[in-house]
Amino acid sequence: GWGMTETMATVTSHSSEDYLNRPTSAGPPVPVADLKIMDESGQNILNMGEVGELWAAGPMIVKGYWNNPEATAATFIDGWVRTGDLARLDEEGFCYIVDRAKDMVIRGGENIYSSEVENILYDHPAVTDAAIIGIPHRTLGEEPAAVVHLAPGTTATEGELQQWVRDRLAAFKVPVRIIFCEDTLPRNANGKIMKRDLKALFED
């Protein structure tokens, strides 16, 4: 399923045969919730299958942030919450989370969804932790780079993992640099990798 603090957890739920038929989906919205996919401006609803920002509505949506009217006005609009997640909906309303908007890397105008590259890295038998972040580039704006942690007793080189991604994704999505960490990647209390802390690893 899918949810966030601002939705008091569950907005979509996924189980049994539906999950078997759509294992990469977060499921359809629960009966009292509604979902829509909006463009970057927040003014237009996108067509089925298009990737944009996921907005959610329902009785589980909080009214706003405590003592923060500016953030409330930017996030909660006419009963909808702007989730900051990039997603798409299929013909039956099943939701597919693509990435966090702030985690997307834009390389020379091409969108790179970090979760897509991370999932490929996780498929490598030696990789147990992976994070894609954008590093600055003078002409392209930014490029994808990776931080990985390998399973104990395994080995992999930067070139090997780059080729692994290249064999499975478009060339512009291949990390230009890969840094290996001896420890598992830093996470917050919710178990999410703290990518902001990893950017410093690429500052020469």
Side-chain angles (χ1 to χ4, degrees):
W2 173 88
M4 55 194 296
T5 303
E6 290 85 345
T7 68
M8 295 189 293
T10 305
V11 176
T12 73
S13 182
H14 206 20
S15 63
S16 63
E17 292 161 358
D18 282 338
Y19 174 77
L20 294 176
N21 291 329
R22 297 176 173 87
T24 60
S25 171
V30 296
V32 295
D34 290 303
L35 301 176
K36 62 182 178 180
I37 305 297
M38 301 293 287
D39 66 5
E40 189 174 355
S41 72
Q43 300 297 315
N44 304 298
I45 299 177
L46 298 181
N47 294 324
M48 180 191 69
E50 290 187 293
V51 173
E53 185 181 10
L54 178 65
W55 289 33
M60 74 286 288
I61 307 298
V62 302
K63 294 184 180 298
Y65 298 117
W66 182 256
N67 287 338
N68 195 337
E70 292 182 0
T72 296
T75 306
F76 301 92
I77 300 172
D78 297 329
W80 294 85
V81 57
R82 301 185 64 158
T83 69
D85 283 328
L86 297 175
R88 62 181 175 85
L89 300 175
D90 69 12
E91 66 279 0
E92 294 187 48
F94 281 71
C95 179
Y96 295 76
I97 303 295
V98 175
D99 205 357
R100 286 290 293 169
K102 65 182 180 182
D103 289 341
M104 184 176 67
V105 179
I106 303 176
R107 181 184 190 181
E110 296 282 359
N111 293 345
I112 301 172
Y113 301 118
S114 60
S115 59
E116 179 185 23
V117 185
E118 289 162 357
N119 288 338
I120 294 298
L121 287 170
Y122 277 121
D123 286 341
H124 191 281
V127 175
T128 59
D129 244 356
I132 294 292
I133 62 174
I135 58 175
H137 187 275
R138 187 176 61 183
T139 56
L140 297 175
E142 57 182 350
E143 291 185 301
V147 182
V148 300
H149 170 71
L150 302 180
T154 65
T155 60
T157 66
E158 180 181 55
E160 177 185 344
L161 293 182
Q162 287 171 327
Q163 189 61 50
W164 177 269
V165 176
R166 188 175 292 110
D167 290 342
R168 293 160 175 80
L169 295 175
F172 72 88
K173 299 180 181 180
V174 176
V176 296
R177 290 181 62 192
I178 298 177
I179 289 178
F180 295 90
C181 284
E182 292 186 7
D183 299 321
T184 55
L185 303 188
R187 285 175 163 78
N188 62 20
N190 292 323
K192 296 179 181 179
I193 294 175
M194 296 190 294
K195 294 188 176 183
R196 185 182 306 172
D197 293 354
L198 300 177
K199 287 183 178 290
L201 297 175
F202 295 93
E203 295 176 358
D204 297 323

